Amino acid sequence: RIDMAPPAGAVEVATGSKIDGLALKDAGIQKDLYLFVNGKEYKLKPMQDFQPDQTLLTWLRSVGLTGTKLGCGEGGCGACTVSSSHYDPASQKVVHRAVNACITPVCAMEGCHVVTVEGIGNSKIGLHPVQKRLSDKHGSQCGFCTPGFVMSMYSLLRNNPTPNEHEVEHCIDGNLCRCTGYRPILEAFKTFCPGESEEKSAKSNGCCNGTSPAPYNPSSEMEFPPQLLPSKYSSRDLQFQGSRCTWYRPTSMSSLLALKAQHPAAKIVVGNSELEIERKFRSSNWEVLVCTTHVPEMNELRNLSNGVHIGSAVTLSRIYDHLNQLLASKEEHSTYNFKAMLQQLRWFAGTPIRNVAAIGGNICNASPISDLNPVLMACGAVLTLIKVDGSTREISAKEFFKERMYRQTHLGPDELLLSVFVPETKPMEFSQGYKVSRRRDDDIAIVTAGLRVRLEQKPEGFVVVDCGLAYGGMAASSVNAKKTEEFLKGKTMSHELIRQALEVLPDDLPLADNAPGGMIEFRKTLSASFLFKFGIFVLQQIAPAAVDPAEQSAGIPYSRPVSSGLQHYTETGHKIIMDPAGQAMTGPFDVEGGVGKAVKHLAGDLHVTGEAVYVDDMPNPPGGLYGGLVLSQKSRARLVSVDPSPALALAGVHGYFDHKDVEGNNVFGAVIWDEEVFATKEVFTTGQVIGIVVADSAILARQAASMVKVEYEVLDAILSIEEAVAAESFIGDEGKIESGNVDEAMAKAEKQISGEVRIGGQEHFYLETQASLVVPGENNEFIVHTSSQNPTKTANYVAHVLGIPKAKVVCKVKRMGGGFGGKETRNVFISMACAVAAKKLNRSVRIMLDRDHDMCISGQRHPFLSKYKVGFNKDGLITAVDVKLYSNGGMSLDLSRPVLERAMFHIENAYSIPNVRVTGRVCRTNLPSNTAFRGFGGPQGMMACEAYMEHVARELGVHADEIRAKNLYPTRGGVTPYRQELVDCHLREMWAELQSSCDYTRRRAEVDEFNKKNKWKKRGISMMPVKFGMSFTAKFMNQASALVHVYTDGTVLVSHGGTEMGQGLHTKMCQIAASELGVSLDKVFVTETATDKCANTHPTAASVGADLNGFAVQDACKQIAARLERFRQAKPGATLAEIAMAAWLDRVDLTAHGFYKTPDIGYNFQTGEGRAFHYFAYGVACSEVEVDVLTGDFSTLRADILHDVGDSLNPAVDVGQVEGAFVQGMGLFTLEELVWMNNGQLFTRGPSTYKIPSANDIPIDMRVKLFENCPNRRTIYSSKGVGEPPLNLAISVFNAIREAVGAARRDAGKEGHFRMDTPASCERIRLAMGDFILGKYAASDVLAKGSW
C-alpha cells in the first residue's frame, strides 16, 4: 500500500508552556458569527443574539423567517430544509447544499449564505420558477411541507440547472409529504429536466392543463455575497461562548489538537445529525463542541494509486459524488469496493443529511446498525488516527470496533480519526453492500452487511483466497462472520459452497430471543439471505452459465426506475344541476374558475413561498408565554406526589398549573365525559397530562416540565386487545349488525372457512403537530387560535374548563398543516390546558407539541382484531359471513364507538352477501386514546373483509380477483347488511372498465410467466373494489352553516363551518360562491374558520365537508342572488360590482346566512332500521408489485385507479385527494408500523423510527382516472366526497403482495391459505415465504410480532 496518509509525526504541532494558548489566546480568533441570510448581512454576538447550541431553525424563526417549518426536530421530514451556500477552496467555486435547519447549528453557518423560501420569491414580487411550477402543478395541499420541497429543488438547480429525472427524485429523498402522494411534486420538478419530461409533465395533470412553464434562467438567481468570496473573506478560528456550551471551529490541525488536549471530553461536530438526536431524546449536553469542517487535513478527498483517501470530515454527499465519478475512469474490476459503498450511500439518510454528515462521525459513532461500517470492515479499509501530540497510527476498520460492545471503539481518549483509506479491488475480487430497513429511503437499517471475496482461478475452479463478511444489526457492534470467512477460504466457489456456508453462519451471528431490536427470526434470515445473494452475484461474475436462470434475480442489485404518472379527468362548465329530489334546478353561472374547473389550491402560491401562516407562525402577543406539558411516564399508576418546585426555581418560569387550578370542569370527553384535562389521583396511560408549566420560551417550558418530580404507585396495566378480551375490559356494549339467517346459511354452505387477521394502527403524522394559542381578553373573553378540525368543540371545551359561557370563547382556524382525523378531538385538551394557564396569568399561552410528544399522547388509528367464519359454494359465491371485531380503544372512549360501527358497516365492502352477522367490541387498554383517522374504521372493516375473500380464493385454488368479481354488488337492487338499498351502484361497470383499461388479463398472464421464470423475485397483481358510505353516522352531525357577504366592489367573502387542512375545501367553497353569484373566482375569498362567524358547527370530517358546507354556501348565495335578480334584469350585462352597488343604494341586504341538513339520514343500531348513509362512493384499483423473496422488500410497479367523485367540483383537487389517500393507504397496509414497548411507552415516536411513505415508495407507474358520467343527484352540483374512500383502494397493494408471497410459497411446496397481518412490512413478507433459508431460523407458521 502506498501514498495512503502522512507518516507518523508529520503533523506539525505548536509548542509552548500552555497548549491552550492556541485555542483561547490567539489574537486571530473570531468571536462573532458572520453570515448572510437571503442576501442580508448578519453579525451576531453569542449570548446576545444566539446560543452556540442553538439550531439554525430556531434562530431563523426568531428573526421572523417562519417559512422554514419545524416538522420533527430530528432531520427526518425535510420541512425545515433551507439552502446553504459557501465558497469551496478545493473546487474554487460556490457550492449550494440543502440542509436540515432543525439540526444544523447556527454556528455552522459562519461564512455561509443561507437562503430560505422567503428569499427566492413571494406573492408580491413574483414567484421563483420552482415555486410557480409547484403551485401551478397542484404540488401542495396542506402546504406545511412545501417550503422544504421548494428549497431542496432550488438547491439542486443552483448546482445543476439541467438535472435528469433520477437526480430530481434523489434530491427530495429527505422530504416527506403526507398529503399529495408526491406525484404532482415530482412532475412539477421534472419540468426542469431537459428532454421529454417537461412535455410529459405538462400534459399529465389532465386534458385541460397542458401548458408548458416559462423557461428557467439560472443567471437570474440571487448572487452569492461577494463579501464571502476569498478576496474579502477568510476563515478564522471561531470561539462562541454561551450559557450552556462553547463552540470552537479550528482552521488548522494544530489548533484542533490543542483543543483536544485542553478538552479531552469535547464532542467533535461536523453535521450535528447524531448530536442533535442525542440532545433531543437522551437529554445529552456537552460543555465543549469542536467543529472540524475547516481543518484541511480532515477534508481531503483524493485518489491514490491503489485506493481512495477520505478525510474524516468529508461529507457523505462528497464521497457519493466522487465515487460515482471515479467509476467512469477506473477499470471495473478495481471498483467493487466503491460500488459497495455507493450501494449503501444511495439509501443512507436523506440528501440534506448526507450534505452535512461526515464519514468520520458515522465511523466513530460505532452504531451497531451502521450502513457503512460493515462495508468498510469487509473491504479492508484502514483508518488513520492522530494523537494530540501529532503522531499517527493505523488500524483496520474491522479492528477499530470493540466486538460485541455497544458503541465502543479502540479510539484513545487523546486521539481523533484523521482519515479513511478504501482500497481498490483486485482482479477477481468482488464486494457488495446490503441493507434492509422498514423504508428504503432515509431509514436506519434492520440488518446491513458488507461482503467481499477474492478468488484465484485454479484447475479445480475459482478458489476463495480471501474474504470479508461483516454485518450490522446482528450484535451490539458491527461484527465479522469469522468462522464463515475461514470456512470459505481455500474452497472452490460454487452454489453448493454457498449453501454450506449458510450452515456455518448461524454460529457467527447468534441472537438471543430477547435481543434488543426484536425481529429475531427476521434478522437471522436476512443475514443468511444476504450471503446467499452475494454468492449468486459472485457466481454471475465468474460463471454466469452455472447459475440457474430462475435464480439469477437473487444476484441483481436493486435499482428503481424513475416514476411517472397519468391523470385523466374532464373539466365541466355550465350544466343542469339536479336537486336531491331529482328535479332540475337553475344551473350556476359558467364563470372563470367556477364549479367543475381544475383550478389550483387558492393558497398554493402562499404555500410555496412560505407566506401561508400556521399557528406557530403567528407572532406572540405582548407578554405571551409558552406551555410545556407534564406527562405521565407510566401506563397506569396512582399519583403519590407531584412536586413542581425544581421547575419553578428556574428563571423565566412563570407557574405550574394542574387540576387544582381548574375553575370550571376538569372532566371532558368526545362523546362521554370519561377523561380528565389534568390527572387528579390516577393516570391511565403514558402521556396523560398531569400539569402545565409556563415559561418565557418553548425550550425553557419543555425543560421545566421535564423537571417536575412525579412519584407514582405503579398498577397493573392492560396494553393489547388480547389482554383486554381476557380481562373483559371493554368500553360500552357489544355492537351488532345482522341480515338474513347466518346460522342456517352457514350450515347449508358447501364449504366453510374460519380464521383471523390483525390490522395494525397508524400514526397520523400530519406535518404540523398539534398547536394552540390562547389569548385572554377583557371580561373573561378568550380567542383560541388552533390547528383543529373541530373549532366549535375546541371553543366549547375551553369554556367548559374555564367555567365561562360558550359565547365568550372564539376559536379561529386559519389552516392546518394536515389533520386526517387526528385533530378532530385529540387537540382539545391542549387548548384547555393552555386556557387554564392563560386565565390564571391573564397572559397568552401557546403550545406546539414536539413531534415525539405529539405521537406519544394524541392517539392513532385503532388497531383491530377480526375473527371470521365464512360459508360459500364451490363456485366462489359467498352465502354467509360471521365476523367478530375487536378494536383497541385506549384509555377512554373518544370516537372509538363510531369508528367501530363504521368498520362494521363496511364488513362486506363491495360484495353482495345475503347473510351477514358482525359484532364489535371496543377494548379499554392503558394506551393513549385512539381516535379518528382518514377512513374512520372503514379501512379496518374492508381489510377484514378482504382477508376472508383471499381465504376463500385459496381454499378454492383460484385467484382472489375471480372471487371478488363474482360477488360484486349489482348495479341495481343490491341491499346492504344494514338494509340500505344501493342506487346507481357503479361497481360492476367500473370493474369492467378498469380491467380493460389497465390490460389486466395480459398483465396477469405476464405475472404468472415472470413467477415461473424467477425463484427469488416474485410479482403479484390484484384488483380491489371499494364501496364507501358517505355521511356522519351520527344524524345530528349532518348539518352545516355559512355566512356570505357581497361587497359593493363586487368581491365576496365566504365564511363557513368547514376547516382547511389541505383538502381544498376553501377552494371549492369559493368556486361554488363564484358560480352562484356570477363572478370570477379571483373575486371570492375565505379568510378563516371562526366560531363567531359560524357557530355550532361540526368537525370537518367523514369526507362530507364539501357536501355539507357547499350546500350551506349555495343556500346563502341563492338568497343574495334572489335579492339581486331585479337589479340584474334592470342592467343586463352589468358586473356584480355594479349590481351590488345598485342594491346597496336601494338598501338591500348583501349578507346572507345559509344552512343545510342532510335529508333522510339516521340509522338506529338498536332496531337495525334507518338510512345509514346519504350515498356511496365507489372505486376500483389494480396494483402490481414485485417482491424480493430473500429480503421481503417490495416495489409497487404500477397502480391504476378509477374513482367515482360524481361530477367533480374541482377535478384537479379531487385527483390530488385520490393520489394522496392511496399513498397514505399504502403506508397503512404495507409500511407504517407502531411499536409499543412492554412498559406502555411508544417506541416509534418520530420519523427516525416511524416510516411514512417517501417519494421512492409510491407506484413507479401511477394512473388515475375520475369515473365519468355518474352524477350524484343527492349532493351539491352532483358531486361526491373524495377524501377517505380512495385510501381503501391501497388494500390492492397488500393483496398483490399476498399474491407474490403465495407464488413464492408454491415454489417452496406450500399451498393453500396463509395468514398475513397488516402492515405487510418487509419482516412479515419475508417470514411468510416458506423457503429453505427461512426454514433454518423459524417455524413454518411463524408470525411477526406486532402492537395491537
Side-chain angles (χ1 to χ4, degrees), residues 750-751 872-879 908 910-914 946 948-949 952-953 955-971 987-989 991-992 995 1000 1004 1023-1025:
E750 295 176 358
K751 291 179 175 290
F872 55 100
N873 66 27
K874 61 184 179 181
D875 295 323
L877 283 174
I878 298 174
T879 56
E908 94 293 11
Y911 310 113
S912 180
I913 303 172
E946 292 303 316
Y948 65 69
M949 296 297 287
V952 168
E955 187 72 15
L956 294 174
V958 299
H959 196 287
D961 288 346
E962 297 176 27
I963 304 300
R964 294 185 179 101
K966 284 182 178 179
N967 287 279
L968 286 173
Y969 274 110
T971 303
L987 282 167
R988 290 183 179 270
E989 182 183 354
W991 182 277
Q995 199 169 49
Y1000 172 82
R1004 185 170 146 190
M1023 291 185 67
M1024 167 75 188

Side-chain angles (χ1 to χ4, degrees), residues 1329-1344:
M1329 290 299 180
D1331 60 287
F1332 80 97
I1333 295 177
L1334 177 66
K1336 297 178 185 297
Y1337 301 103
S1340 59
D1341 58 348
V1342 64
L1343 291 172

Side-chain angles (χ1 to χ4, degrees), residues 98 110 130 381 566 1040 1219:
E110 158 64 31
V130 171
L566 291 173
E1219 292 173 328

Side-chain angles (χ1 to χ4, degrees), residues 70 627-628 697-707 848-850 853:
L70 173 61
S697 72
I699 292 175
L700 180 58
R702 288 192 288 267
Q703 177 190 354
S706 69
M707 296 175 66
M848 181 178 181
L849 292 181
D850 276 357
H853 281 177

Side-chain angles (χ1 to χ4, degrees), residues 502 525 528-529 532 1016 1190 1326 1331-1338:
L502 294 179
T525 304
S529 295
F532 183 80
W1016 302 115
L1190 292 166
R1326 183 66 186 93
D1331 60 287
F1332 80 97
I1333 295 177
L1334 177 66
K1336 297 178 185 297
Y1337 301 103

Side-chain angles (χ1 to χ4, degrees), residues 772-786 790-812 831-832 835 839 1090-1096:
S772 185
L773 167 61
V774 179
V775 183
E778 64 181 36
N779 195 27
N780 269 342
E781 296 172 0
F782 288 81
I783 296 177
V784 182
H785 300 278
T786 184
N790 202 344
T792 290
K793 186 178 286 288
T794 301
N796 290 350
Y797 279 37
V798 166
H800 172 78
V801 75
L802 296 181
I804 62 176
K806 294 178 180 179
K808 288 199 170 189
V809 180
V810 176
C811 181
K812 297 186 175 186
S831 296
M832 294 164 80
K839 187 176 183 185
T1091 57
D1092 59 348
K1093 306 295 189 300
C1094 293
N1096 307 313

Side-chain angles (χ1 to χ4, degrees), residues 8 383-387 391-395 410-412 415:
L383 314 182
T384 298
L385 313 181
I386 185 167
K387 291 191 174 185
S391 62
T392 61
R393 70 182 177 101
E394 297 172 1
I395 184 172
H410 288 284
L411 185 70
E415 290 182 314

Side-chain angles (χ1 to χ4, degrees), residues 1 6 42 169 337 370 391 393 475 522 553 583 609 672 1246 1337 1342:
R1 194 165 53 80
Y42 286 86
E169 297 197 354
N337 282 341
S370 165
S391 62
R393 70 182 177 101
F522 180 46
S553 58
Q583 301 299 311
T609 59
I672 61 173
Y1337 301 103
V1342 64

